[in-house]
């Protein structure tokens, strides 16, 4: 079995993406090579556009005479089957067991690692890869006897593991994939504003927020899910992978003789190797035998090899020699030199010449797996990092721009004028901001890079809107116009045989979740008035359709968190807890609603009964809320110095960033932090720069279409990469790019058959092994007091001076 070509396009470099469909006599590969307009997943925008020669509709009338029986969009026809068998089992005993297992696993692992110094995240791809062999295994071992329960006949094993079971399990698990982001808001309330904040309040508020988001996705399904023009390109990749698992009889086995020959690099032949082995050294023979072995190994075996190696190796940087997580070469050479510490520290400095032997640094929750990012996109992201972090930042910092040299070089904390950490208790009275106390205390100051993140964020928001207008504007307009005409493609018609979910079900869920959120929040005395909750709900309700249309067509979601923060800071200024509520019900619910819509579209493509999708996603939401919230509160109560530097590796980078943001945007407010008289007021020019920057790039790409590298310059991608600094450790970026360069450029180009077969499996195996190894170390070793105290675990001694300001 071979990994689907559409999956290749998700991680290949842009000029060599391989979406295997013919578009009017030429392939998408040809189109990409000529135009170079890819979305974030490497799918050619020309191939996703409606009615274009290289795009969605064939111009050959003979090929389109039966168009009503298939999708009107070629890229969908390539990835999604236009048939359905309603007799295929979907909601089975295996689905229940594996669904609950993966929801608990993903929820636990993502929340467990989210608070660590280098968080990792397991996603839908991991579930797809792990679920299949487990489902097949259950089909082998479970009894096939038919049971009767109050007249209802059922069996634990209805036969072979089906594609619909696989999809339902994955959708259920994916409902929890990104929820750790919203748990942060309650972490801030518990750690900084209300140490007695109860668990039950957090559970009810988070559950109401998630169900509010899900009800939004359900109510907008007739606009964002059912219409054929709403493609959701990333769902096509997942759909293709599902089909690869279940439509290939060779999955999990070694290649056949022909496939084996095709999978080897050119010039390599095992028969020739054996015939000409005489005269070669023993070393060369062994190397060639190893090469044959690792080329012919099944993906299943390769996964377990990677899993075992990752599990075992993580004991070295995770337990025995923790300094290997970040090795700062410059600091080791000059540990007592202040400048060397600031340049070389990979955690609180620039990270020059720093390296890591820890997979959680290479594949982290901030950047995701380097293997799953197209190389052209990785280049754009790394260019932004180098220009801003390694060039502009040291120049500005050491020249004391805005008094920044009197603060640490890299930090997500907020400070006073004299460089001490900002004490919010000095400017609060009865839990709200006090103007007089603020004037007596100190204006707020930020580390230079932290302040730049907001200016670059302003520019990134505007640039992606302009980029979408320039590159996808006509396409979006045409798709919206086609929504009514092409509402019922073949996939919509096939779904009519299943009972639909009534709109009033979602409406009841929305009203109940809103009422629960307001009543619980006011009852718990969080401090936000009722109209603050209504404002948060309104932001998500108003933006979900326009933003959803943009994402469904262009595969890009505008970064609207800054808009929500700005609005919150103006309306709820002085109420720091208002940030948490708006983050939960405003921006957080909007992002979650679009994630649920994308999953609903995947279920639509795979012909899963809508009511089963509702049931499984709903159960997944409830379980994940309980697991993640309870786990975080348990960690707070059982880990000393949680979310402090002394509690390494439990430093809670994202949580501390949310706390600082709540102080900046809601406690003090944007008018004081970014307004007239503030050193940070020039950052507002970022909005204008974001409007302008994509235009010259767009014009140059049209003027010089044959310049290869110019085709792959994307201003929104360049800007978006640096927005994660902080909270991301600086060393993560170069290590992430290095691994991506090795696998998605060198191996992809020079050993492509190996890359096609093992690339995703390698990422899944390494991520899974590391995740379980870290949990084992914590539960079995750390919780029993089995810690190693020696210089190899004293990570703060490498660069002891890096956190000190340059000017004191």
């Amino acid at each position: 079995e071979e990994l689907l070509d559409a999956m290749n396009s998700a991680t290949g470099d842009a000029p060599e993406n391989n979406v295997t469909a013919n578009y009017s006599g030429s392939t998408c590969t040809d189109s990409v090579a000529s135009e170079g307009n890819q979305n974030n997943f490497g799918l050619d925008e020309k191939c996703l556009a409606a009615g274009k020669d290289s795009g969605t509709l064939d111009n050959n009338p003979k090929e389109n005479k039966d168009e009503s029986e298939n999708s009107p969009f070629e890229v969908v026809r390539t990835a999604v089957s236009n048939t359905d068998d309603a007799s295929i089992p979907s909601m089975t005993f295996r689905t229940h067991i594996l669904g609950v297992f993966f929801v608990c696993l993903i929820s636990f692992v993502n929340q467990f690692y989210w608070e660590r110094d280098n968080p990792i995240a397991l996603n839908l791809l991991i579930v797809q890869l792990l679920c299949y062999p487990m489902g097949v295994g259950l089909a082998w071992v479970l009894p096939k006897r038919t049971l009767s329960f109050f007249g209802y006949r059922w069996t634990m094993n209805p036969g072979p593991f089906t594609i619909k079971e696989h999809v339902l399990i994955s959708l259920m698990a994916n409902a929890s994939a990104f929820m750790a982001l919203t748990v942060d808001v309650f972490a801030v309330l518990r750690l900084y504003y209300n140490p007695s904040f109860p668990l039950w309040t957090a559970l009810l508020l988070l559950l109401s927020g998630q169900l509010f988001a899900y009800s939004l996705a359900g109510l907008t399904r007739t606009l964002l899910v059912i219409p054929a023009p709403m493609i959701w390109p990333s769902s096509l990749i997942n759909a293709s992978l599902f089909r690869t698992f279940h439509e290939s009889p060779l999955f999990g086995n070694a290649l056949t003789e022909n496939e084996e020959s095709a999978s080897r690099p050119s010039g390599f032949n095992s028969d020739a190797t054996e015939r000409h082995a005489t005269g070669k050294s023993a070393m060369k023979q062994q190397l060639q035998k190893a090469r044959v072995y690792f080329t012919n190994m099944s993906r299943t075996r390769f996964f377990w090899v990677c899993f075992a190696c990752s599990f075992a190796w993580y004991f070295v940087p995770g337990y025995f020699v923790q300094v290997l997580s970040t090795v700062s070469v410059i600091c080791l050479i000059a540990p007592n030199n202040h400048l060397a510490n600031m340049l070389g520290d990979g955690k609180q400095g620039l990270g020059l010449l720093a390296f890591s032997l820890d997979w959680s640094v290479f594949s982290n929750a901030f950047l995701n797996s380097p293997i799953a990012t197209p190389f052209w996109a990785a280049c754009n992201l790394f260019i932004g990092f180098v220009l801003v972090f390694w060039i502009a930042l040291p120049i500005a910092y050491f020249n004391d721009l805005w008094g920044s040299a009197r603060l640490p070089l890299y930090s997500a904390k907020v400070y006073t004028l004299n460089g001490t950490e900002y004490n919010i208790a000095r400017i609060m009275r009865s839990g709200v901001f006090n103007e007089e106390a603020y004037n007596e205390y100190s204006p707020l100051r930020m580390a230079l890079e932290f302040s730049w993140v907001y200016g670059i964020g302003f520019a990134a928001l505007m640039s992606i809107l302009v980029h979408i207008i320039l590159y996808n504007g006509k396409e979006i307009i045409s798709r919206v116009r086609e929504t009514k005409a092409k509402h019922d493609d073949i996939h919509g018609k096939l779904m009519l045989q299943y009972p639909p979910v009534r709109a009033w079900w979602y409406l009841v869920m929305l009203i109940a979740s809103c009422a629960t959120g307001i009543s619980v929040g006011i009852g718990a005395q969080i401090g936000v008035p009722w109209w603050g909750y209504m404002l948060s709900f309104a932001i998500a309700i108003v933006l979900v359709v326009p933003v959803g249309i943009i994402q469904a067509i262009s595969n890009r979601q505008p970064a609207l968190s800054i808009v929500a923060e700005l609005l919150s800071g103006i309306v709820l200024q002085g109420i720091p807890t208002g940030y948490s509520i708006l983050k939960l019900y405003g921006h957080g619910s909007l992002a979650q609603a679009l994630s649920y819509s994308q999953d609903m579209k995947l279920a639509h493509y795979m012909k899963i009964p809508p009511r089963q999708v509702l049931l499984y996603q709903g159960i997944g939401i409830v379980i994940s809320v309980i697991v993640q919230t309870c786990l975080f509160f348990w960690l707070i109560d059982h880990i000393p110095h949680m979310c402090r530097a002394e509690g390494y590796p439990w430093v809670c980078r994202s949580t501390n960033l949310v706390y600082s943001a709540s102080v900046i945007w809601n406690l003090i407010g944007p008018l004081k932090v970014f307004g007239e008289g503030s050193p940070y007021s020039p950052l507002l020019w970022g909005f204008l720069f974001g409007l302008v920057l994509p235009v010259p790039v767009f014009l140059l790409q049209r003027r010089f279409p044959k310049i290869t590298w110019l085709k792959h310059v994307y201003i929104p991608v360049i800007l978006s990469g640096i927005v994660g600094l902080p909270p991301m450790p600086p060393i993560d970026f170069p290590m992430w790019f290095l691994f991506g360069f090795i696998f998605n450029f060198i191996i992809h180009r020079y050993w492509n058959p190996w890359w096609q077969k093992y690339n995703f499996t390698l990422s899944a195996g390494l991520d899974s092994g590391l995740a379980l190894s870290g949990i084992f170390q914590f539960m079995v070793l750390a919780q029993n007091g089995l810690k190693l105290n020696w210089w190899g675990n004293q990570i703060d001694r490498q660069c002891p001076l890096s956190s000190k300001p340059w000017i004191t």
Side-chain angles (χ1 to χ4, degrees), residues 66-344:
D66 197 24
E67 180 181 295
S68 62
E69 295 304 316
N70 210 326
S71 171
F73 303 102
E74 185 69 39
V75 70
V76 177
R77 296 202 291 268
T78 302
V80 182
S81 172
N82 64 334
T83 61
D84 178 39
D85 184 356
S87 65
I88 295 178
S90 53
M91 193 167 64
T92 66
F93 178 78
R94 294 184 301 233
T95 314
H96 305 332
I97 297 299
L98 292 179
V100 172
F101 169 77
F102 277 107
V103 167
C104 294
L105 176 67
I106 299 298
S107 301
F108 187 93
V109 170
N110 287 356
Q111 186 61 56
F112 180 87
Y113 278 94
W114 184 246
E115 311 304 338
R116 293 169 68 92
D117 190 42
N118 285 301
I120 63 172
L122 302 185
N123 53 28
L124 179 59
L125 176 60
I126 298 292
V127 178
Q128 286 182 278
L129 293 174
L130 294 180
C131 178
Y132 181 79
M134 295 180 68
V136 172
L138 288 180
W140 287 344
V141 301
L142 286 177
K144 298 182 179 180
R145 185 178 59 179
T146 301
L147 305 175
S148 179
F149 185 75
F150 291 105
Y152 176 74
R153 298 176 62 82
W154 64 284
T155 176
M156 288 191 290
N157 191 348
F161 185 59
T162 69
I163 188 172
K164 293 192 177 185
E165 290 178 290
H166 198 173
V167 174
L168 261 183
I169 294 167
S170 301
L171 293 180
M172 187 176 181
N174 201 46
S176 64
F178 307 103
M179 205 168 295
L181 295 169
T182 34
V183 176
D184 277 339
V185 302
F186 301 108
V188 170
L189 291 176
R190 172 71 183 270
L191 292 169
Y192 297 103
Y193 293 112
N194 184 4
S196 61
F197 188 75
L199 172 62
W200 70 267
T201 302
L203 282 171
L204 290 176
L205 288 176
L206 184 56
L207 182 60
S208 68
Q210 298 305 309
L211 293 179
F212 169 69
Y214 190 75
S215 62
L216 278 183
L219 288 171
T220 58
R221 71 196 188 286
T222 55
L223 297 174
L224 300 180
V225 177
I226 298 176
M230 301 296 108
I231 287 179
W232 294 92
S234 58
S235 294
L236 300 177
I237 299 174
N238 299 118
S240 298
L241 184 55
F242 281 123
R243 294 183 64 192
T244 297
F245 275 114
H246 294 271
E247 296 179 9
S248 172
L250 297 175
F251 182 83
N253 300 322
L255 298 177
T256 63
E257 182 177 353
N258 292 337
E259 291 169 319
E260 177 183 326
S261 176
S263 69
R264 298 191 185 105
S266 58
F268 180 80
N269 183 277
S270 60
D271 294 333
T273 300
E274 296 297 329
R275 289 195 303 268
H276 299 287
T278 304
K280 292 186 176 181
S281 66
M283 178 65 72
K284 288 185 178 180
Q285 292 182 33
Q286 293 300 322
L287 288 175
Q288 290 185 353
K289 288 181 179 179
R291 195 176 184 185
V292 172
Y293 176 78
F294 283 107
T295 303
N296 293 341
M297 185 188 300
S298 70
R299 284 194 184 94
T300 303
R301 180 179 298 177
F302 185 79
F303 169 84
W304 288 114
V305 169
C306 294
F307 176 92
C309 292
S310 179
F311 183 92
W313 172 252
Y314 190 58
F315 277 88
V316 178
Y319 183 74
F320 293 110
V321 193
Q322 295 177 11
V323 294
L324 294 180
S325 180
T326 302
V327 180
S328 302
V329 176
I330 298 178
C331 292
L332 294 177
I333 296 174
N336 297 319
N337 185 291
H338 193 188
L339 178 61
N341 276 226
M342 301 183 83
L343 295 178

Side-chain angles (χ1 to χ4, degrees), residues 402-413:
W402 303 338
S404 57
R406 292 168 173 80
L407 303 174
L409 172 63
Y410 184 75
S411 173
K413 298 179 180 179

Side-chain angles (χ1 to χ4, degrees), residues 557-808:
Q557 183 183 130
L560 296 175
S561 60
I562 289 181
V563 175
E565 291 169 340
L566 185 61
L567 183 60
S568 170
I570 295 174
V571 177
L572 296 173
Q573 190 273 327
I575 307 175
T577 53
Y579 182 87
S580 296
I581 296 303
L582 189 131
K583 188 82 172 178
L584 173 63
Y585 293 111
H587 169 255
S589 292
L590 173 62
Q592 289 284 65
L594 297 180
S595 175
Y596 294 141
S597 294
Q598 181 168 292
D599 286 348
M600 289 180 180
K601 188 67 176 185
L602 178 60
H604 185 81
Y605 282 144
M606 305 309 296
K607 318 302 183 299
I608 308 298
R611 295 186 180 182
Q612 294 183 14
V613 175
L614 170 65
L615 176 64
Y616 275 74
Q617 286 188 310
I619 294 175
I621 290 171
V622 174
I623 294 176
S624 60
V625 166
I626 295 173
V627 171
Q628 293 193 339
T629 309
C630 292
L631 174 60
F632 181 78
F633 274 69
W634 185 88
L635 292 173
I636 291 177
D637 294 334
H638 290 80
I639 296 179
H641 310 295
M642 180 76 172
C643 297
R644 301 288 189 271
E646 310 88 75
Y648 181 88
W650 306 93
V651 295
C652 308
R653 288 181 173 271
S654 180
T655 301
N656 288 325
L657 179 67
V658 172
Y659 162 70
S660 296
S662 71
V663 176
I664 294 168
W665 293 102
N666 278 81
L667 180 58
I668 298 176
L671 297 181
K672 286 183 171 60
V673 177
F674 301 103
E676 185 178 357
S678 169
Y680 307 121
S681 59
L683 295 174
L684 297 176
W685 286 98
F687 287 109
L688 179 60
F689 291 147
L691 284 173
V692 174
L693 286 176
V695 177
V697 174
F698 175 78
L699 296 177
L700 288 172
Q701 289 175 342
R702 293 300 181 269
R703 177 65 179 83
F704 303 102
K706 296 184 179 181
I707 300 179
T708 304
W709 65 268
L710 185 60
K711 302 172 185 176
H712 312 307
V713 175
Y714 287 84
I715 296 299
V717 179
I718 293 175
L719 295 175
S720 64
I722 203 65
V723 172
L725 288 161
M728 178 173 55
I731 190 177
D732 288 11
F733 228 122
M735 293 296 97
W736 173 85
F737 179 77
L738 174 63
F739 202 89
F741 172 75
I742 293 173
F743 279 83
N744 286 346
F745 180 75
I746 296 178
I747 294 179
H748 175 267
R749 172 164 293 189
Y750 298 107
W751 206 350
N752 189 264
W754 187 98
W755 182 92
Q756 290 185 29
K757 184 177 181 183
Y758 297 124
N759 203 48
F760 286 97
T761 308
L762 172 68
S763 179
L766 294 178
D767 286 348
S768 303
L770 182 145
L772 295 187
S773 179
I775 294 172
F776 177 86
Q777 292 172 36
F778 176 76
M779 294 297 184
V780 177
L781 301 177
Q783 284 300 101
N784 292 307
L786 300 176
K787 298 182 180 180
L788 297 178
N789 294 317
W790 68 298
W791 68 266
N793 285 341
Q794 296 172 350
I795 59 170
D796 55 342
R797 291 194 175 184
Q798 284 192 69
C799 306
L801 304 177
S802 61
S803 61
K804 295 183 178 181
W806 180 244
I807 299 176
T808 56

